[in-house]
Amino acid sequence: MTLPAAPARLRFGRALRAWYRGYHRDLPWRRTRDPYRVLVSELMLQQTQVSRVLLKYPEFLERFPTLESLARARPARVMEAWGGLGYYARARNLHRLARTVVQGGAPATLPDRPEALRSLPGIGAYTAGAVASFAFERRAALVDTNVARVLRRVFAPDLDPKTGPGRRRLWALATALLPRTGRATYVHNQALMELGALVCTARVRHCARCPVRGVCATYAAERP
């Protein structure tokens, strides 16, 4: 896959970020840069609907407001607080992570680089990029299901995201599209996810209201 030319990347990024500023949802985890709270939201949102996470997120943080409080908790209490979200391995990994970070008595802080974050229990490439970008405003790429769908439809309709080479190409594309600064990257990454959730959805492509249809290969191929 050939990466898009610089003018196309710039046009895509500017249109995407401008759209996000006007149309994004006001979600509680977007009002914080606290790494722990960002991490909790990202783990909860994996394979769980936003509407359900909106209910459980404040409840969980009320019980465990910090990494230290989570690390001190008994596993049964953590599982109880996670109740209703499913995929309990996420809660077990979060608990293990908290105990890993807190051990030794030093102030509990999450690392700010994707490479370091990936060394922690239950943190994969996407979650590491999300925490680095959303909590620390690092210039870090991320690719989840929504992002993969948007990037494939816009730039690489023939790419198979289920293969190893396809996934690697999507990550390379996501990296190539990053703005120059971490602050702009925060908006860019949030916008990619939001576009996939609200406009370029799995079931329906709402091309008429898509801000990046002007550079979208799928849209161009299907126009009369």
Side-chain angles (χ1 to χ4, degrees), residues 13-81:
R14 287 169 180 167
L16 179 72
R17 295 190 293 275
W19 169 82
Y20 176 81
R21 292 185 182 101
Y23 295 98
H24 70 276
R25 291 169 293 179
D26 180 20
L27 301 173
W29 43 88
R30 288 178 176 161
R31 302 180 209 141
T32 182
R33 294 293 192 276
D34 181 270
Y36 169 64
R37 290 171 178 256
V38 170
L39 174 63
V40 169
S41 72
E42 290 299 333
L43 293 179
M44 285 187 172
L45 287 164
Q46 292 174 11
Q47 300 174 304
T48 302
Q49 292 181 341
V50 170
S51 59
R52 186 61 186 159
V53 176
L54 284 170
L55 295 175
K56 298 299 293 186
Y57 177 74
E59 293 177 4
F60 189 90
L61 290 175
E62 185 174 357
R63 278 195 176 191
F64 310 113
T66 63
L67 274 170
E68 291 90 345
S69 62
L70 181 62
R72 291 193 299 266
R74 301 182 68 173
R77 286 201 64 213
V78 178
M79 294 302 107
E80 180 186 359

Side-chain angles (χ1 to χ4, degrees), residues 3 19 23 42 47 58 111 115 151 178 194 205 207:
L3 294 176
W19 169 82
Y23 295 98
E42 290 299 333
Q47 300 174 304
E115 300 79 10
L151 296 183
L178 289 177
E194 195 78 330
R205 299 195 308 269
C207 298

Side-chain angles (χ1 to χ4, degrees), residues 24-223:
H24 70 276
R25 291 169 293 179
D26 180 20
L27 301 173
W29 43 88
R30 288 178 176 161
R31 302 180 209 141
T32 182
R33 294 293 192 276
D34 181 270
Y36 169 64
R37 290 171 178 256
V38 170
L39 174 63
V40 169
S41 72
E42 290 299 333
L43 293 179
M44 285 187 172
L45 287 164
Q46 292 174 11
Q47 300 174 304
T48 302
Q49 292 181 341
V50 170
S51 59
R52 186 61 186 159
V53 176
L54 284 170
L55 295 175
K56 298 299 293 186
Y57 177 74
E59 293 177 4
F60 189 90
L61 290 175
E62 185 174 357
R63 278 195 176 191
F64 310 113
T66 63
L67 274 170
E68 291 90 345
S69 62
L70 181 62
R72 291 193 299 266
R74 301 182 68 173
R77 286 201 64 213
V78 178
M79 294 302 107
E80 180 186 359
W82 198 269
L85 290 171
Y87 299 98
Y88 285 88
R90 296 176 296 175
R92 288 191 290 270
N93 284 330
L94 178 60
H95 195 204
R96 286 176 54 215
L97 180 152
R99 290 186 165 181
T100 298
V101 173
V102 170
Q103 68 183 355
T109 57
L110 290 172
D112 62 354
R113 302 286 181 177
E115 300 79 10
L117 285 160
R118 288 199 66 178
S119 69
L120 297 173
I123 304 297
Y126 163 77
T127 305
V131 173
S133 177
F134 300 150
F136 299 104
E137 293 191 354
R138 293 295 182 187
R139 190 175 178 271
L142 53 83
V143 178
D144 70 349
T145 304
N146 283 330
V147 172
R149 185 188 319 114
V150 170
L151 296 183
R152 180 179 59 81
R153 285 175 176 172
V154 174
F155 294 109
D158 296 328
L159 183 147
D160 185 352
K162 296 180 180 180
T163 67
R167 287 191 292 271
R168 287 192 291 273
R169 289 173 182 172
L170 283 171
W171 275 92
L173 179 55
T175 301
L177 290 167
L178 289 177
R180 292 183 179 181
T181 68
R183 180 171 295 182
T185 295
Y186 173 95
V187 178
H188 176 90
N189 285 337
Q190 291 280 11
L192 273 174
M193 297 166 63
E194 195 78 330
L195 190 70
L198 302 181
V199 177
C200 193
T201 68
R203 292 185 179 182
V204 181
R205 299 195 308 269
H206 301 280
C207 298
R209 53 188 175 91
C210 178
V212 298
R213 65 180 181 273
V215 295
C216 180
T218 299
Y219 178 72
E222 295 184 357
R223 294 178 66 187

